[in-house]
Amino acid sequence: MRNTDEYPISTTEEREAVVATAGAAPEEDWVIVTRGLKREYDMGGEVVRALRGVDLAIRRNEYVAIMGPSGSGKSTLMNLIGCLDTPNDGEYWLNGQLVSAMSDDQLARVRNKEIGFVFQTFNLLPRATALHNVELPLVYAGVPGEERRRRAEEALERVQLGARMLHKPNELSGGQRQRVAIARALVNRPSILLADEPTGNLDSTTSEEIMKVFEELADQGQTVIMVTHEPDIAAHARRVIVLRDGVIASDDKRSAFTQKVGL
Amino acid sequence: MRIVDRLGQNLTIALDTLRAGKIRSALTILGVVIGVATVMAMAAIVQGIREQIVHTIEIAGPTTFYVIRYFSSTPVNPNRLPRDAKNRPDLIPEEAQRIASLPEIGYSAIWAQVFGRVEYQGIRTQQMTFMAADDRYTEIQGGELLEGRWFTRAELKSGTPVAVIDHDVARKLFGQANPLDKTVRLGGRPARVIGIYAPPENIFAPQGQQVGAIIPFLFADHAFVIDKINALFIAVKPRPGVTVAEAQDAVTVAMREIRALRPGQRNTFDMITQDQILDTFNKLTGVFFLVMIVLSGVALMVGGIGVMAIMMVSVTSRTREIGVRKALGATNADILLQFLVEASTLTGVGGIIGIIVGLGSGKLVTLAMSIQASPPLGLTLVAVGVSVGIGIAFGLLPAMRAARLDPIEALRYE
């Protein structure tokens, strides 16, 4: 039994959640629990230890920012949380499922059902309309055509793009493109919205606009996890986790974080 | 349902991609188009010719067969005959008469083909065939007498220079005027027109072999030089109820008797049945087809390799898209399917264009040959299948490469 004091995470409750999750599903309230998550890469014979045992517990409806300098392992952690990669060691529970032990096809299914991705570069299909882009996750979920269209329209209306559904990405502004991407992320009603530097390609005004969308979604009960290196963007989240050298260096509620960075 | 929907989605994506790179797509599928078009054109032509032959045989009655000095599937140079055939005697009218008297035989007569133009008052037709036969020619070969009369017994016996001419020839030479009792020149020899006949519809008659006139055998024998190896034969039609095999047996016995062949000596004549004619044609076209299939196979291979190359490029240039799709929940199988559908759509479209081009050019050729081309429906389906198959076979490698991409790497790809 490891000492709970080894876990540098914010509250006792979260520490207990991680400890309690040894080989058994966490309680329903915890949408993400990782325990001793490790990821190593073999870079031409040299082993790079990107994550060296990350313990993390995130409740439903939380709005979390993950920060850290480059090389801190935040991208690796994001890939693991996003089920694009699997850990070398440790457990990752997402919405009650032990993702760390899944096959490629199972992971694809989990990505489709549980995770909504928002990328820095939007990553929309350039020759498809906004509507078709948003429909894409539903295509892979096997949702029939009519329902697919209806749900995609709903999602676009949720991000105030109801009027631009049939536009192609190159007919939309950067902020609109990112909102299409958000609609696409939401359309399958995922457990978590996972955003990787969502404002990295946007000017500050548009960034604020997108942050407002995230805030609204969080208010509506959507779990949001955002990876960023910008403190003022991270400050929008209600909890900020900072990674350093492959481990969690700090885990603060917003008030504590804003004080720390002097915002 | 799900698979159908998924295929439909992929087909839309594939067609979209094709539209986006029209010229690239067109060049890629050129090989497939050429390959399919060649086979389709050839098949349409050969099928057309074959139907004409079958039709002709049906008119002549499938039981009619021919006794000939030496049977070869191609015309033979008289100086290059095998030794055995060179020593064979020529067929003579008496042999035909003897065969005609057999109880198994309904009709038998010696026929020959001679060639030349029909000429009247300076108007000439092209080179044509004159059938040297008798008054019962149309019973065997089909067609009917429109005006005038057939040869009399006396005309046949003496080889009187009279002729029953084809109605098209008559129209060309005489227009509205009455050709009967006029003297035309057949290959330069004068002959009096006594009748006009119409050949059966659709009879297979390539240019230069169209029958322009029917003349008494002895007239031809006196006035023309008959190629006794290739163009002299005895037409035999069994009596109703007698099989071809029985009739051939009877003819063989009679011919051996006439020629006084001892047991053990080989026949000094050959017989051709309609089946054999069809067989010969099938053998010839079979070889022809084989060559065409090999050639179009090469074109299809080239096309397939083109598709493979273009799909490789497509996978590389769309690495990012593949990453996004995987992030959104596409499985490896989904990505594989997407690229296979894309490749097979590419070649499938090529195949359809090839079919259209092939059948179109086949139609043109057959129109020029004035026979009817029949689009071979079965082959059309096979062609579509083969083209789609080429797409799947050559698209497999690029599609597998796409399916195996690591989503993280793919998303990071610039």
Side-chain angles (χ1 to χ4, degrees):
Chain A
M1 192 76 193
R2 287 160 78 185
N3 188 331
T4 52
D5 292 338
E6 285 175 35
Y7 299 86
I9 52 181
S10 51
T11 68
T12 327
E13 271 175 54
E14 276 133 13
R15 251 176 259 156
E16 282 169 356
V18 170
V19 172
T21 308
E27 278 172 42
E28 236 216 280
D29 193 33
W30 300 99
V31 67
I32 286 177
V33 174
T34 73
R35 191 184 150 87
L37 214 53
K38 287 189 183 139
R39 185 69 173 96
E40 294 169 350
Y41 298 104
D42 188 3
M43 304 287 259
E46 203 182 329
V47 177
V48 177
R49 298 169 67 195
L51 287 185
R52 301 192 286 181
V54 170
D55 299 316
L56 187 62
I58 297 174
R59 277 180 209 278
R60 284 182 205 284
N61 308 352
E62 271 197 278
Y63 182 3
V64 183
I66 296 173
M67 291 197 67
S70 63
S72 62
K74 69 176 192 299
S75 292
T76 305
L77 181 59
M78 196 211 64
N79 289 337
L80 287 174
I81 290 177
C83 298
L84 292 165
D85 197 6
T86 45
N88 298 99
D89 194 18
E91 289 173 24
Y92 170 27
W93 294 83
L94 172 62
N95 200 21
Q97 302 167 78
L98 184 59
V99 169
S100 43
M102 282 185 177
S103 71
D104 277 3
D105 278 0
Q106 287 171 312
L107 285 175
R109 193 140 189 81
V110 168
R111 286 197 294 271
N112 184 254
K113 293 266 177 232
E114 309 285 352
I115 300 165
F117 284 95
V118 176
F119 303 96
Q120 176 176 0
T121 51
F122 322 133
N123 280 338
L124 300 174
L125 300 189
R127 287 173 325 97
T129 60
L131 188 68
H132 187 81
N133 266 293
V134 176
E135 274 187 46
L136 207 54
L138 299 174
V139 170
Y140 291 120
V143 176
E146 248 172 68
E147 188 189 342
R148 205 157 64 209
R149 195 185 161 88
R150 185 176 53 73
R151 278 170 63 179
E153 284 171 0
E154 272 171 25
L156 279 164
E157 270 153 20
R158 224 174 137 184
V159 294
Q160 279 90 49
L161 278 177
R164 297 197 173 258
M165 285 196 250
L166 298 180
H167 289 247
K168 293 195 173 165
N170 61 8
E171 298 158 354
L172 298 171
S173 72
Q176 287 169 335
R177 284 183 215 183
Q178 196 58 302
R179 279 193 278 155
V180 173
I182 293 169
R184 179 177 66 185
L186 292 175
V187 75
N188 238 352
R189 300 172 195 132
S191 304
I192 57 169
L193 185 73
L194 186 59
D196 179 19
E197 305 277 5
T199 58
N201 276 26
L202 301 173
D203 59 47
S204 54
T205 324
T206 321
S207 295
E208 283 304 316
E209 185 193 309
I210 294 298
M211 282 303 104
K212 205 169 284 171
V213 175
F214 276 29
E215 216 134 331
E216 280 166 23
L217 292 173
D219 287 343
Q220 290 162 18
Q222 175 69 52
T223 311
V224 180
I225 299 168
M226 175 170 73
V227 176
T228 181
H229 66 272
E230 295 173 74
D232 51 336
I233 292 297
H236 285 89
R238 288 157 200 175
R239 177 179 167 193
V240 181
I241 295 165
V242 179
L243 280 176
R244 191 160 288 129
D245 298 327
V247 291
I248 293 176
S250 70
D251 183 346
D252 298 298
K253 296 291 178 225
R254 170 155 55 186
S255 51
F257 174 74
T258 46
Q259 269 177 16
K260 225 192 250 178
V261 296
L263 277 168
Chain B
M1 230 356 253
R2 187 155 176 254
I3 279 288
V4 170
D5 188 44
R6 188 66 59 84
L7 278 175
Q9 282 283 332
N10 280 317
L11 200 64
T12 319
I13 298 168
L15 287 173
D16 230 44
T17 316
L18 291 192
R19 264 200 296 275
K22 282 193 199 74
I23 293 180
R24 196 181 72 174
S25 305
L27 289 176
T28 308
I29 60 179
L30 198 60
V32 177
V33 172
I34 291 173
V36 171
T38 331
V39 175
M40 291 311 291
M42 290 305 151
I45 294 166
V46 170
Q47 181 71 11
I49 293 174
R50 190 172 190 283
E51 271 176 27
Q52 299 301 318
I53 289 182
V54 170
H55 189 73
T56 310
I57 288 174
E58 273 166 8
I59 289 167
T63 57
T64 301
F65 62 93
Y66 304 93
V67 181
I68 188 166
R69 178 162 132 172
Y70 176 66
F71 176 60
S72 155
S73 53
T74 50
V76 266
N77 181 342
N79 301 322
R80 292 256 181 89
L81 280 177
R83 181 185 304 258
D84 157 56
K86 208 178 261 178
N87 297 332
R88 292 177 174 189
D90 291 333
L91 296 167
I92 50 171
E94 288 72 23
E95 286 169 337
Q97 282 161 21
R98 174 70 185 281
I99 291 169
S101 70
L102 294 171
E104 292 89 349
I105 303 305
Y107 170 90
S108 169
I110 190 158
W111 289 4
Q113 290 172 303
V114 291
F115 306 94
R117 296 168 193 274
V118 190
E119 188 181 347
Y120 179 72
Q121 292 186 340
I123 308 172
R124 296 197 304 178
T125 66
Q126 62 201 356
Q127 191 80 6
M128 289 182 152
T129 301
F130 308 134
M131 286 301 302
D134 64 11
D135 53 328
R136 291 172 70 189
Y137 172 81
T138 49
E139 268 176 49
I140 306 300
Q141 289 293 330
E144 57 175 332
L145 191 70
L146 300 177
E147 280 178 63
R149 59 172 179 85
W150 279 110
F151 319 121
T152 61
R153 194 156 283 268
E155 283 166 342
L156 286 170
K157 277 221 158 128
S158 62
T160 313
V162 289
V164 173
I165 61 171
D166 177 88
H167 65 136
D168 282 335
V169 171
R171 197 176 317 122
K172 175 161 180 162
L173 298 187
F174 294 95
Q176 296 302 315
N178 182 5
L180 292 180
D181 279 328
K182 304 284 190 320
T183 298
V184 294
R185 284 178 171 271
L186 301 177
R189 288 89 167 163
R192 189 162 55 88
V193 177
I194 59 165
I196 295 162
Y197 94 111
E201 290 281 314
N202 283 338
I203 191 156
F204 169 55
Q207 300 269 308
Q209 284 195 35
Q210 198 187 331
V211 175
I214 303 154
I215 55 177
F217 176 77
L218 285 178
F219 167 35
D221 198 28
H222 297 154
F224 291 81
V225 180
I226 295 174
D227 172 357
K228 293 191 171 170
I229 289 152
N230 292 308
L232 181 67
F233 50 94
I234 297 172
V236 184
K237 188 168 188 168
R239 223 178 257 289
V242 177
T243 66
V244 175
E246 286 164 355
Q248 280 187 304
D249 266 0
V251 169
T252 307
V253 170
M255 286 292 289
R256 290 184 67 93
E257 257 175 46
I258 298 164
R259 294 190 171 183
L261 298 176
R262 285 190 303 277
Q265 255 184 305
R266 294 172 65 183
N267 286 344
T268 54
F269 55 92
D270 284 327
M271 279 185 279
I272 325 168
T273 61
Q274 307 281 16
D275 283 351
Q276 276 171 301
I277 294 175
L278 206 56
D279 266 5
T280 309
F281 178 77
N282 283 345
K283 260 182 220 148
L284 278 174
T285 52
V287 173
F288 192 59
F289 257 123
L290 208 65
V291 172
M292 289 321 299
I293 281 169
V294 168
L295 286 181
S296 64
V298 171
L300 286 175
M301 283 292 279
V302 171
I305 290 165
V307 168
M308 178 143 69
I310 221 72
M311 289 307 292
M312 285 289 189
V313 172
S314 178
V315 168
T316 306
S317 67
R318 287 156 70 195
T319 301
R320 191 78 175 245
E321 178 196 319
I322 294 163
V324 174
R325 287 178 181 278
K326 286 197 158 190
L328 298 182
T331 60
N332 291 359
D334 287 327
I335 301 294
L336 188 79
L337 186 67
Q338 179 188 336
F339 281 91
L340 283 186
V341 168
E342 194 169 313
S344 47
T345 306
L346 201 62
T347 53
V349 168
I352 289 168
I353 296 173
I355 288 167
I356 294 166
V357 171
L359 290 184
S361 45
K363 183 94 193 157
L364 283 183
V365 172
T366 47
L367 277 181
M369 287 167 69
S370 67
I371 59 168
Q372 278 179 347
S374 349
L377 187 71
L379 197 66
T380 309
L381 297 179
V382 171
V384 173
V386 167
S387 340
V388 169
I390 291 271
I392 291 174
F394 285 90
L396 197 60
L397 204 65
M400 273 163 58
R401 210 167 86 167
R404 285 208 203 109
L405 281 176
D406 176 43
I408 300 169
E409 302 273 319
L411 279 168
R412 219 182 277 149
Y413 188 84
E414 293 296 333

